[in-house]
């Protein structure tokens, strides 16, 4: 027989108990936007359950960088829960259903598609010209 769990009290329950992410016409205009990189970090670490090292390698970033991206995703999702906001994934003109290959910028969160994107290519962010750019590729949904 399993141990009985003690009652837990939540002082301020979230207003949103579901995420209408499947909806084509979301009713909530006020939403929290996750970048493709943040979405990918969550997927690798918490959905596929890779460890941090493998997750970082998958995105071709260092572990501290991966950790930073994941932290940002956690902060945004926590904010969405607390403030009862919808969550959406955004990023340039990216069609997630077709998959994505390109780069993301650690400095300004800009993400852009590039058919010729590769790990070794040195590129600057088109938005802020930062060199802190990481290679980003994900499978089609
Ligand atoms: Zn940038």
């Amino acid at each position: 027989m399993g141990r009985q769990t003690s009652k837990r009290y939540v002082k301020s329950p979230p207003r949103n108990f579901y995420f209408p992410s499947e909806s084509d016409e979301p009713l909530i205009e006020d939403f929290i936007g996750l970048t493709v990189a943040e979405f990918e970090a969550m997927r690798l670490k918490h959905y596929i359950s890779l460890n941090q090292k493998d997750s970082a390698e998958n995105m071709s970033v260092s572990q501290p960088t991966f950790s930073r991206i994941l932290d940002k995703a956690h902060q945004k999702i926590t904010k969405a829960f607390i403030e009862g906001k919808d969550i959406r994934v955004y990023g340039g003109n990216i069609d997630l259903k077709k998959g994505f290959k390109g780069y993301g910028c650690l400095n300004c969160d800009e993400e852009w598609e590039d058919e010729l994107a590769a790990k070794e290519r040195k590129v600057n962010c088109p938005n802020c010209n930062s060199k802190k750019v990481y290679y980003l590729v994900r499978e089609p949904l």
Side-chain angles (χ1 to χ4, degrees):
M1 244 173 61
R3 252 180 65 214
Q4 211 180 338
T5 55
S6 58
K7 275 183 188 165
R8 294 185 179 88
Y9 295 94
V10 179
K11 197 180 172 192
S12 169
R15 277 172 288 166
N16 53 337
F17 286 94
Y18 67 98
F19 297 94
S21 54
E22 297 294 320
S23 171
D24 287 334
E25 293 171 43
L27 298 170
I28 308 164
E29 286 305 316
D30 199 11
F31 65 93
I32 302 284
L34 243 62
T35 65
V36 175
E38 288 158 0
F39 176 82
E40 184 67 353
M42 294 283 292
R43 190 180 73 88
L44 293 170
K45 185 74 178 8
H46 301 308
Y47 188 73
I48 304 180
S49 300
L50 294 181
N51 61 37
Q52 184 139 323
K53 186 176 169 285
D54 291 343
S55 299
E57 271 173 20
N58 229 283
M59 286 178 71
S60 305
V61 295
S62 67
Q63 283 192 57
T65 298
F66 180 81
S67 174
R68 185 174 148 178
I69 294 168
L70 192 63
D71 266 359
K72 223 165 172 184
H74 289 161
Q75 281 166 14
K76 285 183 179 177
I77 285 163
T78 302
K79 191 170 168 27
F81 267 127
I82 305 296
E83 297 178 8
K85 287 179 178 169
D86 197 4
I87 296 170
R88 296 202 212 146
V89 181
Y90 72 93
N93 298 312
I94 296 158
D95 185 352
L96 288 173
K97 286 183 178 134
K98 282 192 212 148
F100 173 78
K101 192 177 174 190
Y103 301 98
C105 174
L106 269 182
N107 188 49
C108 72
D109 272 353
E110 176 84 357
E111 289 178 341
W112 63 99
E113 212 162 350
D114 185 346
E115 277 302 309
L116 302 169
K119 288 179 195 179
E120 316 79 45
R121 267 181 109 214
K122 293 272 175 278
V123 292
N124 287 18
C125 173
N127 189 46
C128 72
N129 209 35
S130 168
K131 284 189 166 77
K132 284 193 203 164
V133 164
Y134 51 87
Y135 175 58
L136 194 57
V137 59
R138 74 177 313 280
E139 301 295 315
L141 286 177

